[in-house]
């Protein structure tokens, strides 16, 4: 048996709701495009798994777990067999807030995502699947070195980027018409910046729209290891078009050479990892880090500063947080994901050690915690290494950066999942 079902549902919020991704003084005032959640249900002889994409920067793990738990109940599968990825648009609605509008929207969003999975399950049909991969120039390393041996947000032309663009295509076995496609790429969906008040799925949304018009089936865009990779074009609707035309063009070149087969190798499994965080620094350094975050990102750091000083005074220097690492595999291709923003070096490491260009590794999977830099990035500091926990730690629980060798440990655990 080889079956796949797909269902796409509208999750557009009301006007006025807060943004998440960049601070805007006002909420959403215009809608450039509606946003969606799309669910795929894969069935083989022994396994049923769900793969869902949501247009959002990334909901918290606890909210994502509610989605996964309810879908698992509805479809009579295990919690670990449900994968939720986020497109990571920086022009989407907030889901964490004391605002009644945000709370109400989150409830509707969760219910709609669950509905999409149930409907996709009802839509399963005999299907074949096929993979393909190419390379494209859509991302740029953003960790620009400065004269003092550190880094800032910018452009590092010599920096590493995972250039792969992959596709998992699904077609109806009888008609041989496409019924869905999952596209994998690596470039931050932060084309629109803080000066935009438009609700947008960013370049993944327009790319999806282009491909759906041509292919006549639902399409989702899955982010890879974009922690140190910005979109090549940024700052305007024209830049979104440039990104989308480039990405969709690369995807369309792959379609004719895809070889379709029945689902044979099929699994979605996960493992939990207790991730150690760096020691809380001395009070002087705590204050310095908080001040840097305020100056560079314009955020209120009082909560982080107070919490860190309290923990230090209580001699609570050792911190850790549980993290799930999940593998979704169909035939010869795979996507392994974590609720963080890993660097491209980690994705290329997975590909090289598995000797498989169809082995993708990315973030924004089953929730959000923060960044996962490689060990080599730590001496250079920067937002991804030092300041992100200050900005989002009070919300996600990642109060300090992971210890330096964490990315290597995570890659090893991904390889272990492939051997299961």
């Amino acid at each position: 048996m080889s079956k796949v079902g797909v269902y796409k549902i509208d999750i557009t919020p009301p006007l006025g709701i807060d943004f998440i991704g960049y601070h805007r003084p006002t909420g959403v005032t215009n809608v450039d495009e509606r946003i969606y959640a799309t669910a795929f249900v894969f069935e083989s002889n022994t396994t049923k798994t769900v793969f869902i994409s949501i247009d959002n920067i990334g909901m918290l793990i606890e909210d994502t777990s509610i989605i996964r738990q309810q879908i698992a109940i509805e479809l009579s599968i295990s919690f670990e067999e449900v994968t939720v990825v986020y497109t990571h648009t920086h022009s989407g609605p907030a889901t964490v807030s004391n605002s009644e509008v945000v709370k109400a929207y989150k409830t509707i969003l969760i219910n709609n995502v669950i509905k999409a999975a149930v409907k996709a399950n009802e839509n399963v049909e005999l299907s074949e699947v096929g993979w393909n991969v190419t390379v494209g120039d859509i991302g740029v390393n953003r960790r620009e070195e400065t004269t003092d041996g550190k880094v800032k947000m910018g452009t590092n032309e010599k920096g590493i980027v995972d250039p792969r663009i992959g596709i998992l295509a699904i077609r109806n076995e009888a008609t041989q018409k496409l019924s869905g496609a999952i596209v994998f790429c690596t470039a931050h969906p932060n084309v629109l910046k803080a000066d935009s008040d438009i609700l947008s799925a960013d370049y993944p949304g327009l790319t999806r729209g282009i491909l759906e018009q041509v292919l006549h089936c639902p399409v989702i865009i899955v982010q890879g290891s974009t922690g140190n990779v910005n979109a090549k074009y940024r700052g305007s609707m024209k830049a979104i078009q440039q990104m989308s035309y480039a990405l969709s063009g690369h995807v369309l070149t792959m379609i004719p050479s895809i070889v379709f087969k029945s689902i044979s190798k099929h699994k979605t499994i996960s493992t939990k990892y207790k991730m150690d965080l760096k020691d809380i620094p001395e009070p002087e350094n705590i204050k310095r880090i908080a001040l840097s975050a305020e100056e560079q990102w314009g955020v209120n750091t009082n909560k982080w500063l107070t919490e860190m000083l309290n923990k230090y005074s209580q001699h609570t220097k050792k911190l850790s947080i549980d993290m799930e690492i999940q593998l979704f595999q169909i035939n010869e291709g795979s996507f392994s994901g974590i609720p963080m923003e890993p660097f491209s070096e980690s994705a290329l490491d997975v590909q090289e050690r598995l000797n498989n260009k169809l082995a993708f590794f990315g973030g924004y999977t089953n929730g959000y915690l923060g960044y996962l830099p490689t060990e080599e990035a730590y001496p250079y500091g920067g937002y991804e290494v030092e300041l992100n926990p200050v900005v989002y730690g009070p919300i996600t629980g990642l109060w300090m950066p992971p210890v330096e060798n964490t990315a290597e440990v995570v890659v090893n655990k991904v390889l272990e999942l492939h051997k299961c």
Side-chain angles (χ1 to χ4, degrees), residues 22-87:
Y22 287 113
H23 172 72
R24 279 90 160 183
T26 60
V28 174
T29 60
N30 290 287
V31 177
D32 169 53
E33 58 186 346
R34 304 191 72 79
I35 60 174
Y36 297 91
T38 305
F40 286 75
V41 173
F42 295 89
E43 280 191 32
S44 56
N45 287 331
T46 58
T47 306
K48 176 185 289 188
T49 66
V50 180
F51 195 98
I52 299 172
S53 171
I54 301 174
D55 282 335
N56 193 273
I57 197 168
M59 297 171 71
L60 295 179
I61 291 174
E62 51 261 42
D63 293 328
T64 311
S65 293
I66 293 171
I67 294 171
R68 297 172 69 198
Q69 288 164 354
Q70 191 58 42
I71 291 173
I73 293 170
E74 294 283 347
L75 273 58
S76 299
I77 59 178
S78 72
F79 175 86
E80 290 78 12
E81 289 174 318
V82 181
T83 304
V84 176
V85 298
Y86 295 96
T87 56

Coordinates of all heavy atoms in Angstrom, one line a residue, residues 22-87:
Y22 N 9.9 40.9 13.3 CA 10.5 42.2 13.5 C 9.5 43.1 14.3 O 8.3 42.9 14.1 CB 10.7 42.9 12.2 CG 11.9 42.3 11.4 CD1 11.7 41.7 10.2 CD2 13.2 42.5 11.8 CE1 12.7 41.2 9.4 CE2 14.2 42.0 11.1 CZ 14.0 41.3 9.9 OH 15.0 40.8 9.1
H23 N 10.0 44.0 15.1 CA 9.1 44.8 15.9 C 8.5 45.8 14.9 O 9.2 46.5 14.2 CB 9.8 45.5 17.0 CG 9.0 46.6 17.7 ND1 8.0 46.3 18.5 CD2 9.0 47.9 17.6 CE1 7.4 47.4 18.9 NE2 8.0 48.4 18.4
R24 N 7.1 45.9 14.9 CA 6.4 47.0 14.2 C 5.6 47.8 15.3 O 5.0 47.2 16.1 CB 5.5 46.4 13.2 CG 6.1 46.1 11.9 CD 6.6 44.6 11.8 NE 6.7 44.2 10.4 CZ 7.1 42.9 10.2 NH1 7.3 42.0 11.1 NH2 7.2 42.5 8.9
P25 N 5.6 49.1 15.2 CA 4.8 49.8 16.2 C 3.3 49.6 16.1 O 2.6 49.8 17.0 CB 5.1 51.3 15.8 CG 5.6 51.3 14.4 CD 6.3 49.9 14.2
T26 N 2.8 49.2 14.9 CA 1.4 48.8 14.7 C 1.3 47.4 14.3 O 2.3 46.7 13.9 CB 0.8 49.7 13.6 OG1 1.5 49.5 12.4 CG2 0.8 51.2 14.0
G27 N 0.1 46.8 14.4 CA -0.1 45.5 14.0 C -0.3 45.4 12.5 O 0.0 46.3 11.7
V28 N -0.9 44.3 12.0 CA -1.1 44.0 10.6 C -2.2 45.0 10.1 O -3.3 45.0 10.6 CB -1.6 42.6 10.4 CG1 -2.0 42.4 8.9 CG2 -0.6 41.6 10.8
T29 N -1.8 45.8 9.1 CA -2.8 46.8 8.6 C -3.2 46.4 7.2 O -4.2 46.9 6.7 CB -2.2 48.2 8.6 OG1 -1.0 48.2 7.7 CG2 -1.8 48.7 10.0
N30 N -2.4 45.6 6.5 CA -2.8 45.1 5.1 C -2.4 43.7 5.0 O -1.5 43.1 5.6 CB -2.0 46.0 4.1 CG -2.5 47.4 4.0 OD1 -3.5 47.7 3.5 ND2 -1.6 48.3 4.5
V31 N -3.1 43.0 4.0 CA -2.8 41.6 3.7 C -2.3 41.5 2.3 O -3.1 41.7 1.4 CB -4.1 40.7 3.9 CG1 -3.8 39.3 3.5 CG2 -4.6 40.8 5.4
D32 N -1.1 41.2 2.2 CA -0.5 41.0 0.8 C -1.0 39.7 0.2 O -1.3 39.6 -1.0 CB 1.0 41.0 0.9 CG 1.7 40.5 -0.4 OD1 1.3 41.1 -1.5 OD2 2.5 39.6 -0.4
E33 N -1.1 38.7 1.1 CA -1.5 37.4 0.6 C -2.1 36.7 1.9 O -1.6 36.9 3.0 CB -0.4 36.6 0.0 CG 0.8 36.4 0.9 CD 2.0 35.7 0.3 OE1 1.8 35.2 -0.8 OE2 3.0 35.7 0.9
R34 N -3.0 35.8 1.6 CA -3.5 35.0 2.7 C -2.5 33.9 3.1 O -1.7 33.6 2.3 CB -4.9 34.4 2.4 CG -5.9 35.4 1.9 CD -7.3 34.9 1.8 NE -7.9 34.6 3.1 CZ -8.4 35.5 3.9 NH1 -8.4 36.8 3.6 NH2 -8.9 35.1 5.1
I35 N -2.5 33.5 4.3 CA -1.5 32.5 4.8 C -2.3 31.2 5.1 O -3.5 31.1 5.3 CB -0.7 33.0 6.0 CG1 -1.6 33.3 7.2 CG2 0.1 34.2 5.6 CD1 -0.9 33.7 8.4
Y36 N -1.5 30.1 5.1 CA -2.1 28.7 5.1 C -1.3 27.7 6.0 O -0.1 28.0 6.3 CB -2.1 28.2 3.7 CG -3.0 29.0 2.7 CD1 -2.4 30.0 2.0 CD2 -4.4 28.7 2.6 CE1 -3.2 30.8 1.1 CE2 -5.2 29.5 1.7 CZ -4.6 30.5 1.0 OH -5.4 31.3 0.2
A37 N -2.0 26.7 6.3 CA -1.4 25.5 6.8 C -1.8 24.3 5.8 O -2.9 24.3 5.4 CB -1.9 25.1 8.2
T38 N -0.8 23.5 5.6 CA -1.0 22.4 4.6 C -0.5 21.1 5.2 O 0.6 21.0 5.8 CB -0.3 22.6 3.3 OG1 -0.6 23.9 2.7 CG2 -0.6 21.5 2.3
A39 N -1.4 20.1 5.2 CA -1.1 18.8 5.8 C -0.9 17.7 4.8 O -1.8 17.6 3.8 CB -2.2 18.4 6.8
F40 N 0.1 16.9 4.9 CA 0.3 15.7 4.1 C 0.2 14.5 5.0 O 0.8 14.5 6.1 CB 1.7 15.7 3.4 CG 1.9 16.7 2.3 CD1 2.0 18.0 2.5 CD2 1.9 16.2 1.0 CE1 2.1 18.9 1.5 CE2 2.0 17.1 -0.1 CZ 2.2 18.5 0.2
V41 N -0.6 13.5 4.6 CA -0.6 12.2 5.3 C 0.0 11.1 4.4 O -0.5 11.0 3.2 CB -2.0 11.8 5.7 CG1 -2.1 10.4 6.3 CG2 -2.6 12.8 6.7
F42 N 1.0 10.4 4.9 CA 1.7 9.4 4.1 C 1.3 8.0 4.7 O 1.4 7.8 6.0 CB 3.2 9.6 4.1 CG 3.6 10.8 3.4 CD1 3.8 12.0 4.1 CD2 4.0 10.8 2.0 CE1 4.2 13.2 3.4 CE2 4.4 11.9 1.4 CZ 4.5 13.1 2.1
E43 N 0.9 7.1 3.9 CA 0.6 5.7 4.4 C 1.4 4.7 3.6 O 1.4 4.7 2.3 CB -0.9 5.4 4.2 CG -1.8 6.0 5.3 CD -3.2 5.4 5.2 OE1 -3.3 4.2 4.8 OE2 -4.1 6.1 5.6
S44 N 2.0 3.8 4.3 CA 2.6 2.6 3.7 C 2.0 1.4 4.3 O 1.1 1.5 5.1 CB 4.2 2.6 3.8 OG 4.5 2.7 5.2
N45 N 2.6 0.2 4.1 CA 2.0 -1.0 4.6 C 1.9 -1.1 6.1 O 1.0 -1.6 6.7 CB 2.8 -2.2 4.1 CG 2.6 -2.5 2.6 OD1 1.5 -2.2 2.1 ND2 3.6 -3.1 1.9
T46 N 2.9 -0.5 6.8 CA 3.0 -0.6 8.2 C 2.9 0.8 8.9 O 2.9 0.8 10.2 CB 4.3 -1.3 8.6 OG1 5.4 -0.6 8.1 CG2 4.3 -2.7 8.1
T47 N 3.0 1.9 8.2 CA 3.2 3.1 8.8 C 2.2 4.2 8.3 O 2.0 4.2 7.1 CB 4.6 3.6 8.7 OG1 5.5 2.6 9.1 CG2 4.9 4.9 9.5
K48 N 1.8 5.1 9.2 CA 1.1 6.3 8.8 C 1.7 7.5 9.5 O 1.9 7.5 10.7 CB -0.4 6.3 9.1 CG -1.1 7.6 8.8 CD -2.6 7.6 9.3 CE -3.4 6.6 8.5 NZ -4.9 6.7 8.8
T49 N 2.2 8.5 8.7 CA 2.8 9.7 9.3 C 2.2 10.9 8.7 O 1.6 10.9 7.6 CB 4.3 9.7 9.0 OG1 4.6 9.9 7.6 CG2 5.0 8.4 9.5
V50 N 2.3 12.0 9.5 CA 1.7 13.3 9.1 C 2.8 14.4 9.0 O 3.7 14.4 9.9 CB 0.7 13.8 10.1 CG1 0.1 15.1 9.7 CG2 -0.4 12.7 10.2
F51 N 2.8 15.2 8.0 CA 3.8 16.2 7.8 C 3.1 17.5 7.5 O 2.3 17.6 6.5 CB 4.8 15.9 6.6 CG 6.0 16.7 6.6 CD1 7.2 16.2 7.1 CD2 6.0 18.0 6.0 CE1 8.4 17.0 7.1 CE2 7.2 18.7 6.0 CZ 8.4 18.3 6.5
I52 N 3.2 18.5 8.3 CA 2.4 19.7 8.2 C 3.3 21.0 8.2 O 4.3 21.1 8.9 CB 1.5 19.9 9.5 CG1 0.5 18.7 9.5 CG2 0.7 21.2 9.4 CD1 -0.3 18.7 10.8
S53 N 2.9 21.9 7.3 CA 3.6 23.2 7.2 C 2.7 24.3 7.6 O 1.5 24.3 7.1 CB 4.1 23.4 5.8 OG 4.6 24.7 5.7
I54 N 3.1 25.2 8.4 CA 2.3 26.3 8.9 C 3.0 27.6 8.6 O 4.2 27.8 8.9 CB 2.1 26.2 10.4 CG1 1.4 24.9 10.8 CG2 1.3 27.4 10.9 CD1 1.2 24.7 12.3
D55 N 2.3 28.6 8.0 CA 2.9 29.9 7.8 C 2.9 30.7 9.1 O 2.0 31.4 9.5 CB 2.0 30.7 6.8 CG 2.2 30.2 5.3 OD1 3.3 29.7 5.0 OD2 1.3 30.4 4.5
N56 N 4.1 30.6 9.7 CA 4.3 31.3 11.0 C 5.8 31.3 11.3 O 6.5 30.4 10.8 CB 3.6 30.6 12.1 CG 3.5 31.5 13.4 OD1 4.4 31.5 14.2 ND2 2.5 32.3 13.5
I57 N 6.3 32.2 12.0 CA 7.7 32.3 12.4 C 8.1 31.0 13.2 O 9.2 30.6 13.1 CB 8.1 33.6 13.1 CG1 9.6 33.8 13.0 CG2 7.5 33.6 14.5 CD1 10.1 35.2 13.5
G58 N 7.2 30.5 14.0 CA 7.4 29.3 14.8 C 6.7 29.4 16.1 O 7.0 30.3 16.9
M59 N 5.7 28.6 16.3 CA 5.0 28.6 17.6 C 5.9 27.9 18.7 O 6.8 27.2 18.4 CB 3.7 27.9 17.5 CG 2.7 28.5 16.5 SD 1.3 27.6 16.1 CE 0.4 27.7 17.7
L60 N 5.5 28.1 19.9 CA 6.2 27.5 21.0 C 6.0 26.0 21.0 O 5.1 25.5 20.4 CB 5.7 28.0 22.4 CG 6.0 29.5 22.7 CD1 5.4 29.9 24.0 CD2 7.5 29.8 22.6
I61 N 7.0 25.3 21.6 CA 6.9 23.8 21.6 C 5.6 23.3 22.3 O 5.0 22.4 21.8 CB 8.1 23.2 22.4 CG1 9.4 23.5 21.5 CG2 8.0 21.7 22.6 CD1 10.7 23.1 22.2
E62 N 5.2 24.0 23.4 CA 4.0 23.5 24.1 C 2.7 23.7 23.2 O 1.8 22.8 23.2 CB 3.8 24.2 25.4 CG 3.9 25.7 25.3 CD 5.2 26.3 25.8 OE1 6.3 25.7 25.4 OE2 5.2 27.3 26.5
D63 N 2.7 24.8 22.4 CA 1.5 24.9 21.5 C 1.6 23.9 20.4 O 0.5 23.4 19.9 CB 1.5 26.4 21.0 CG 1.2 27.4 22.1 OD1 0.5 27.0 23.0 OD2 1.7 28.5 22.0
T64 N 2.8 23.7 19.8 CA 2.9 22.7 18.7 C 2.6 21.4 19.2 O 2.0 20.5 18.5 CB 4.4 22.8 18.2 OG1 4.7 24.1 18.0 CG2 4.5 22.0 16.9
S65 N 2.9 21.1 20.5 CA 2.6 19.7 21.0 C 1.1 19.5 21.1 O 0.7 18.4 21.0 CB 3.3 19.6 22.4 OG 4.7 19.6 22.3
I66 N 0.4 20.5 21.4 CA -1.1 20.4 21.5 C -1.6 20.0 20.1 O -2.5 19.1 20.0 CB -1.8 21.7 21.9 CG1 -1.4 22.1 23.3 CG2 -3.3 21.7 21.7 CD1 -1.9 23.4 23.8
I67 N -1.1 20.6 19.0 CA -1.5 20.2 17.7 C -1.1 18.7 17.4 O -1.9 18.0 16.9 CB -0.7 21.1 16.7 CG1 -1.2 22.5 16.8 CG2 -0.9 20.6 15.2 CD1 -0.4 23.5 15.9
R68 N 0.1 18.4 17.7 CA 0.6 17.0 17.5 C -0.2 16.0 18.3 O -0.6 14.9 17.8 CB 2.1 16.9 17.7 CG 2.9 17.8 16.8 CD 4.4 17.8 17.3 NE 5.0 16.5 17.1 CZ 6.2 16.1 17.6 NH1 6.7 16.9 18.5 NH2 6.7 15.0 17.4
Q69 N -0.5 16.3 19.5 CA -1.2 15.3 20.4 C -2.6 15.1 19.9 O -3.1 13.9 19.8 CB -1.2 15.9 21.8 CG 0.1 15.8 22.6 CD 0.1 16.6 23.8 OE1 -0.8 17.4 24.1 NE2 1.2 16.5 24.6
Q70 N -3.3 16.2 19.5 CA -4.7 16.0 19.0 C -4.7 15.3 17.7 O -5.6 14.4 17.5 CB -5.3 17.4 18.9 CG -6.8 17.3 18.7 CD -7.6 16.5 19.8 OE1 -7.3 16.7 21.0 NE2 -8.5 15.7 19.4
I71 N -3.8 15.6 16.8 CA -3.7 14.8 15.5 C -3.5 13.4 15.7 O -4.1 12.5 15.1 CB -2.7 15.5 14.6 CG1 -3.1 16.8 14.1 CG2 -2.4 14.6 13.4 CD1 -2.1 17.6 13.3
A72 N -2.5 13.1 16.7 CA -2.2 11.7 17.0 C -3.5 10.9 17.4 O -3.7 9.8 17.1 CB -1.1 11.6 18.0
I73 N -4.3 11.6 18.3 CA -5.5 11.0 18.7 C -6.5 10.8 17.6 O -7.1 9.7 17.4 CB -6.2 11.8 19.8 CG1 -5.3 11.8 21.1 CG2 -7.6 11.3 20.2 CD1 -5.7 12.8 22.2
E74 N -6.7 11.8 16.8 CA -7.7 11.8 15.7 C -7.3 10.7 14.7 O -8.2 10.0 14.1 CB -7.8 13.1 15.0 CG -8.3 14.2 15.9 CD -9.8 14.2 16.0 OE1 -10.5 13.4 15.3 OE2 -10.3 14.9 16.9
L75 N -6.0 10.5 14.4 CA -5.6 9.5 13.3 C -5.1 8.2 13.9 O -4.7 7.4 13.1 CB -4.5 10.2 12.5 CG -5.0 11.1 11.3 CD1 -5.9 12.2 11.8 CD2 -3.8 11.6 10.5
S76 N -5.2 8.1 15.2 CA -4.7 6.8 15.9 C -3.3 6.4 15.5 O -3.0 5.3 15.1 CB -5.7 5.6 15.5 OG -7.0 5.9 15.9
I77 N -2.4 7.5 15.6 CA -1.0 7.2 15.4 C -0.3 7.8 16.6 O -0.9 8.4 17.5 CB -0.5 7.9 14.1 CG1 -0.7 9.4 14.2 CG2 -1.1 7.3 12.9 CD1 -0.2 10.2 13.0
S78 N 1.1 7.6 16.7 CA 1.8 8.1 17.8 C 2.1 9.6 17.7 O 2.2 10.1 16.6 CB 3.1 7.3 18.0 OG 4.0 7.6 17.0
F79 N 2.4 10.2 18.8 CA 2.8 11.6 18.8 C 4.0 11.9 18.0 O 4.1 12.9 17.2 CB 3.0 12.0 20.3 CG 3.6 13.4 20.5 CD1 2.7 14.5 20.6 CD2 4.9 13.7 20.6 CE1 3.2 15.8 20.8 CE2 5.4 14.9 20.9 CZ 4.5 16.0 21.0
E80 N 5.0 11.0 18.0 CA 6.2 11.1 17.3 C 6.1 11.0 15.8 O 7.0 11.3 15.0 CB 7.2 10.1 17.8 CG 7.7 10.3 19.2 CD 6.8 9.9 20.3 OE1 5.8 9.2 19.9 OE2 6.9 10.2 21.5
E81 N 4.9 10.5 15.3 CA 4.7 10.3 13.9 C 4.1 11.5 13.2 O 3.7 11.5 12.1 CB 3.9 9.1 13.6 CG 4.6 7.8 13.9 CD 3.8 6.5 13.8 OE1 2.6 6.6 14.3 OE2 4.3 5.5 13.3
V82 N 4.0 12.6 14.0 CA 3.4 13.9 13.5 C 4.6 14.9 13.5 O 5.2 15.2 14.5 CB 2.3 14.4 14.4 CG1 1.7 15.7 13.8 CG2 1.2 13.4 14.5
T83 N 4.8 15.5 12.3 CA 5.8 16.5 12.1 C 5.2 17.8 11.8 O 4.3 17.9 10.9 CB 6.8 16.1 11.0 OG1 7.4 14.9 11.2 CG2 7.9 17.2 10.8
V84 N 5.5 18.9 12.5 CA 5.0 20.2 12.2 C 6.2 21.1 11.9 O 7.1 21.3 12.8 CB 4.2 20.8 13.4 CG1 3.8 22.2 13.1 CG2 3.0 19.9 13.7
V85 N 6.3 21.7 10.7 CA 7.3 22.7 10.4 C 6.7 24.0 10.2 O 5.5 24.1 9.8 CB 8.1 22.2 9.2 CG1 8.8 20.9 9.4 CG2 7.2 22.1 7.9
Y86 N 7.5 25.0 10.4 CA 7.1 26.4 10.2 C 7.9 27.1 9.1 O 9.1 26.9 9.0 CB 7.2 27.2 11.5 CG 6.3 26.7 12.6 CD1 6.8 25.8 13.5 CD2 5.0 27.1 12.7 CE1 5.9 25.3 14.5 CE2 4.1 26.6 13.7 CZ 4.6 25.7 14.6 OH 3.8 25.2 15.6
T87 N 7.2 27.9 8.3 CA 7.9 28.5 7.1 C 8.8 29.6 7.6 O 9.7 30.0 6.9 CB 6.9 29.1 6.1 OG1 6.0 30.0 6.8 CG2 6.0 28.0 5.5

